[in-house]
Amino acid sequence: MEFLLTLRRRGISDAAVLRAMDEVPRERFVDADMVGNAYVDQALPIACGQTISQPYVVAYMTEQLGLRPQDRVLEVGTGSGYQAAVLSRLAQQVVSIERYRTLADKAKERLAALGYDNVDVIVGDGLEGAPDRAPFDRIIVTAAGSTVPQALVDQLTEGGVMVLPLGSPNGPQQIVRLTKGEGGTLERHDLIAVRFVPLLPGKAREL
Ligand code: SAH
């Protein structure tokens, strides 16, 4: 299949990640008028002025998380729910936070329709994480901020991994992988250049 071939050619090699990308139907996470482009390797617009990420970036960040079947994962930025769906195939439990209720409700509906019942979508401010559900073995942020949210570091287990885009809203951003060591130290690896919508504080006022 062309979709998987493109991911492989771009360097995604983890068999479990490729299987998850193959299994999750991206056309179910895009708007009706975008279905024709569901398997093109590009980000697409969704409601509330947001985007569903490019498949390559979804696969890349997922691969960088190094998920194990027993992992509890936190995602900040549910959007369409597509990244959460991919995570749900590779981990035990996924908690995903979205600041727009409209997007969260739609994502919930899609995930339920596909039977991906190990994902909980929450409406809230992802900058605060989900303290009542913490700690998490893996955290992924799918919107770009300029600094690492401390609440998320606090909610990561020792040995845990966080993957997030860091940079300025309209300028250069890169994917960063942080590994939390003993005593809370963070080991940082800077990875590929990306473009994400901004990570914004607070629940969205409009729907
Ligand atoms: N992972 C998504 C990509 C969504 S784009 C997918 O697979 O479709 C990023 C999303 O992050 C947007 O929906 C935006 O509303 C949300 N977001 C931005 N700042 C946030 C915050 N502080 N808390 C929760 N969600 C946030």
Side-chain angles (χ1 to χ4, degrees):
M1 189 189 169
E2 187 61 34
F3 182 67
L4 281 192
L5 211 62
T6 301
L7 297 177
R8 276 219 188 83
R9 219 180 276 130
R10 295 203 62 176
I12 306 301
S13 62
D14 186 302
V17 172
L18 288 165
R19 211 179 306 125
M21 294 297 295
D22 192 27
E23 186 182 332
V24 176
R26 192 168 185 257
E27 81 269 9
R28 301 280 290 269
F29 293 86
V30 301
D31 292 345
D33 57 330
M34 291 288 166
V35 167
N37 288 328
Y39 293 100
V40 177
D41 191 23
Q42 60 186 28
L44 296 171
I46 57 173
C48 306
Q50 306 303 314
T51 54
I52 173 172
S53 307
Q54 179 189 349
Y56 167 67
V57 174
V58 171
Y60 182 83
M61 291 179 81
T62 305
E63 189 169 57
Q64 289 298 324
L65 274 178
L67 292 167
R68 303 159 303 176
Q70 73 272 24
D71 281 340
R72 300 187 63 255
V73 184
L74 174 68
E75 177 190 28
V76 174
T78 313
S80 67
Y82 179 65
Q83 172 76 72
V86 171
L87 297 170
S88 79
R89 305 298 82 204
L90 296 162
Q92 184 177 103
Q93 183 70 39
V94 179
V95 176
S96 184
I97 311 177
E98 171 56 54
R99 62 192 292 280
Y100 283 100
R101 180 169 296 282
T102 308
L103 291 176
D105 286 349
K106 196 87 210 279
K108 249 186 237 178
E109 202 181 291
R110 289 167 169 150
L111 292 161
L114 288 163
Y116 298 161
D117 57 8
N118 58 340
V119 185
D120 286 328
V121 178
I122 297 172
V123 179
D125 182 1
L127 288 171
E128 292 169 12
D132 50 328
R133 306 291 299 270
F136 299 96
D137 305 294
R138 300 289 185 263
I139 297 178
I140 179 171
V141 183
T142 64
S146 51
T147 57
V148 182
Q150 187 56 44
L152 300 186
V153 174
D154 295 342
Q155 290 170 35
L156 196 58
T157 57
E158 211 171 274
V161 176
M162 174 160 29
V163 173
L164 76 172
L166 284 180
S168 46
N170 294 303
Q173 301 167 2
Q174 58 187 334
I175 298 295
V176 171
R177 185 181 69 228
L178 301 168
T179 306
K180 190 169 174 178
E182 255 173 70
T185 57
L186 287 180
E187 187 187 305
R188 172 174 170 154
H189 288 275
D190 290 5
L191 307 166
I192 60 170
V194 285
R195 258 206 114 98
F196 273 88
V197 296
L199 184 64
L200 299 171
K203 252 193 247 182
R205 285 232 222 115
E206 60 289 38
L207 287 177

